[in-house]
Amino acid sequence: MEKKTLVLYPSLGVGHLTPMVELAKALLRHGLAVLIAVVDPPDADAVSTTAVSRLAAANPAISFRLMPSPASPDAGAHPVRRSLDTLRLANPALRTLLRSLPGAGAGALVLDMFCVDALDVAAELGVPAYFFFPSAASDLAVFLNLPYFYPTVPSFRDMDKNTPVHCYPGMPPIRAVDMLQTVQDKESEATKVRLYQFKRMAEGKGILINTFDWLEPGVCVPGKPTPRVYCIGPLVNTGNKSEDNGGGERHECLEWLDKQPKQSVVFLCFGSMGTFSAAQLQEMAHGLERSGHRFLWAVRSPREEQSQFPEPDLERLLPAGFLERTKDRGMVVKNWAPQSEVVRHEAVAAFVTHCGWNSTLEAIMAGLPMICWPLYAEQSMNKVFLVEEWKIAIEMEGYEEFVKAEEVEVKVRLVMNTEEGKMLRERLAVVKEKAMEAIKEGGSSEAGFVKFLSDLGQSSSS
């Protein structure tokens, strides 16, 4: 019999595409045919286009299909609204793609969390639809509860920022200021779009989550419909170097790390969208210099300068003489570093991160303590789980507004020099071991995968 194809449908942006590729690899290992359908965004997202090319070159066994750019949504709408509108406008292209698949056709559609309107295409064509949630199960539990909880309380932004929020019984308290950034104002367009999105996610046949049972409790929506949940992670790039460097030469920062002592370097990297003001970059530089520790730092131009300076002018952005004074113990790279390789390098001892879930899982799989500096989306929520629940990270205080040089210096020294830093490493060693056990044969995540495939077979044959 011909295999049916699983069509994976990521939303816009590298942060959603990358984990979908890891899911595709796992599906291939289980003998399934996989195609990743990527929307060519109307605003010519060069980062996404480059990432698709790099990932396709590095993974020839995975089929990638770039779907034509839909009509441009309202340019004046909130970015969250534009993203969902772009994906909704791509429904005709998705429908055409699914109908054109050869052989047995589509066995299922696996949707990114922003692709909720594709549920309508799946229903029309009789294709089972699942979601892939690329962040923490703890985040998902909050999101699925928000449509029912939020109407009963004031806007998070109107609460005292330290007010603890409990969306559902047993949830760890999350400060109002740390709740999802796009839902701070309950009357805003962004919040209404997100609540619509979260409510529709419950319509899927199930949700695959990039996490593992030992780390996180189950997802609970008391008294409301909850899809079956499959914990199948961590799914991270832990071996394919060509995905980091596009198949080219080894990045110069890895050559530099080779020359550093073991566990001596602090790595600072903030994802594909992480930017800081010029003033904050100066403050970070002063803190790093005063800490006295080796560092590797990926720096982007401030957001307002990126169109004019796509490559950051380091001499102008960083303090006068900083690069010269720290050249023997520090390296600053422009825009991008091969993160998955860097965090696994034996010279790296700590990771200053925005708490994106891809980055968090890479750090866990490397046993690397984190210093949390959340920037946007659900990253502040992830910080709460990392610092307060799992105790595998510390917080960079002031991240909500402005982090001072003294704070950077203190937290770097704490992780690198103190007993608390040693305890973080010991805790990470345990979490890493549990993560590795989860994805081994017979592990909880492998069992979750087998259960998903079994349910998928029943859905496809019904």
Side-chain angles (χ1 to χ4, degrees), residues 22-23 25-32 208-209 211-214 230-235 434-454:
E22 295 304 320
L23 174 61
K25 291 181 193 175
L27 291 166
L28 285 173
R29 288 195 294 272
H30 285 82
L32 283 85
L208 301 154
I209 312 180
T211 190
F212 54 108
D213 286 338
W214 182 87
Y230 311 88
C231 293
I232 59 168
L235 298 175
K434 297 297 183 182
M436 296 296 290
E437 288 176 0
I439 57 177
K440 287 180 180 176
E441 187 174 352
S444 62
S445 291
E446 183 65 14
F449 224 116
V450 169
K451 179 59 179 169
F452 163 65
L453 296 176
S454 172

Side-chain angles (χ1 to χ4, degrees), residues 258-419:
D258 291 343
K259 301 171 185 174
Q260 310 308 313
K262 290 184 179 180
Q263 294 202 322
S264 67
V265 175
V266 178
F267 177 45
L268 300 91
C269 191
F270 300 91
S272 60
M273 296 172 59
T275 60
F276 295 93
S277 67
Q280 184 65 87
L281 289 172
Q282 294 257 333
E283 203 76 6
M284 293 164 74
H286 287 307
L288 285 173
E289 185 171 3
R290 293 175 194 169
S291 77
H293 283 284
R294 289 175 168 82
F295 63 87
L296 172 61
W297 183 14
V299 172
R300 296 179 183 277
S301 294
R303 186 169 302 279
E304 64 275 12
E305 294 186 12
Q306 287 192 348
S307 59
Q308 185 180 2
F309 300 106
E311 277 214 351
D313 181 348
L314 299 178
E315 292 288 353
R316 177 178 60 83
L317 288 170
L318 302 179
F322 170 79
L323 295 171
E324 178 63 27
R325 291 192 302 273
T326 60
K327 66 181 181 181
D328 293 332
R329 62 178 175 86
M331 182 176 189
V332 180
V333 298
K334 296 180 179 182
N335 289 333
W336 181 86
Q339 179 175 292
S340 64
E341 287 188 77
V342 171
V343 296
R344 298 194 309 274
H345 198 286
E346 64 180 7
V348 177
F351 183 19
V352 184
T353 172
H354 61 316
C355 304
W357 194 241
N358 294 340
S359 299
T360 297
L361 289 179
E362 287 179 357
I364 286 174
M365 294 295 279
L368 193 62
M370 288 164 273
I371 304 174
C372 298
W373 193 326
L375 296 177
Y376 53 86
E378 83 287 1
Q379 293 163 9
S380 295
M381 293 168 57
N382 290 342
K383 181 268 304 181
V384 173
F385 307 133
L386 286 164
V387 175
E388 298 173 26
E389 290 295 300
W390 309 328
K391 298 179 175 28
I392 55 176
I394 59 172
E395 174 185 321
M396 195 76 82
E397 293 183 16
Y399 64 85
E400 308 99 315
E401 296 175 1
F402 191 81
V403 175
K404 295 185 177 179
E406 293 79 7
E407 174 68 2
V408 175
E409 176 186 359
V410 164
K411 291 299 164 65
V412 166
R413 288 183 171 177
L414 185 153
V415 172
M416 299 294 283
N417 297 348
T418 69
E419 188 65 25

Side-chain angles (χ1 to χ4, degrees), residues 168-292:
Y168 60 91
M171 168 188 160
I174 298 177
R175 296 186 308 159
V177 72
D178 285 330
M179 288 297 286
L180 185 65
Q181 295 304 298
T182 48
V183 302
Q184 287 289 317
D185 176 6
K186 66 189 293 183
E187 300 303 325
S188 71
E189 177 187 33
T191 296
K192 292 171 183 175
V193 170
R194 297 312 301 270
L195 296 186
Y196 163 80
Q197 172 198 350
F198 299 152
K199 201 165 187 177
R200 287 216 70 183
M201 286 180 69
E203 298 175 29
K205 285 188 171 291
I207 303 179
L208 301 154
I209 312 180
N210 194 6
T211 190
F212 54 108
D213 286 338
W214 182 87
L215 186 67
E216 300 194 79
V219 175
C220 176
V221 189
K224 299 296 187 295
T226 308
R228 183 185 292 276
V229 166
Y230 311 88
C231 293
I232 59 168
L235 298 175
V236 297
N237 176 25
T238 58
N240 193 340
K241 297 180 180 180
S242 60
E243 288 189 21
D244 276 335
N245 61 17
E249 294 182 5
R250 195 163 182 250
H251 195 282
E252 61 178 342
C253 74
L254 298 170
E255 306 287 346
W256 180 83
L257 284 171
D258 291 343
K259 301 171 185 174
Q260 310 308 313
K262 290 184 179 180
Q263 294 202 322
S264 67
V265 175
V266 178
F267 177 45
L268 300 91
C269 191
F270 300 91
S272 60
M273 296 172 59
T275 60
F276 295 93
S277 67
Q280 184 65 87
L281 289 172
Q282 294 257 333
E283 203 76 6
M284 293 164 74
H286 287 307
L288 285 173
E289 185 171 3
R290 293 175 194 169
S291 77

Side-chain angles (χ1 to χ4, degrees), residues 113-136:
M113 60 181 290
F114 283 94
C115 299
V116 291
D117 288 319
L119 286 165
D120 301 329
V121 177
E124 176 189 338
L125 301 182
V127 176
Y130 293 80
F131 281 94
F132 175 55
F133 190 73
S135 196

Side-chain angles (χ1 to χ4, degrees), residues 69-141:
S69 175
S72 295
D74 179 6
H78 188 280
V80 172
R81 163 64 72 186
R82 285 205 310 276
S83 181
L84 257 72
D85 284 352
T86 297
L87 293 162
R88 177 177 50 78
L89 291 166
N91 272 0
L94 177 64
R95 185 184 298 109
T96 299
L97 171 64
L98 293 175
R99 284 176 169 162
S100 71
L101 291 176
L109 186 59
V110 182
L111 306 170
D112 180 89
M113 60 181 290
F114 283 94
C115 299
V116 291
D117 288 319
L119 286 165
D120 301 329
V121 177
E124 176 189 338
L125 301 182
V127 176
Y130 293 80
F131 281 94
F132 175 55
F133 190 73
S135 196
S138 302
D139 294 325
L140 177 62

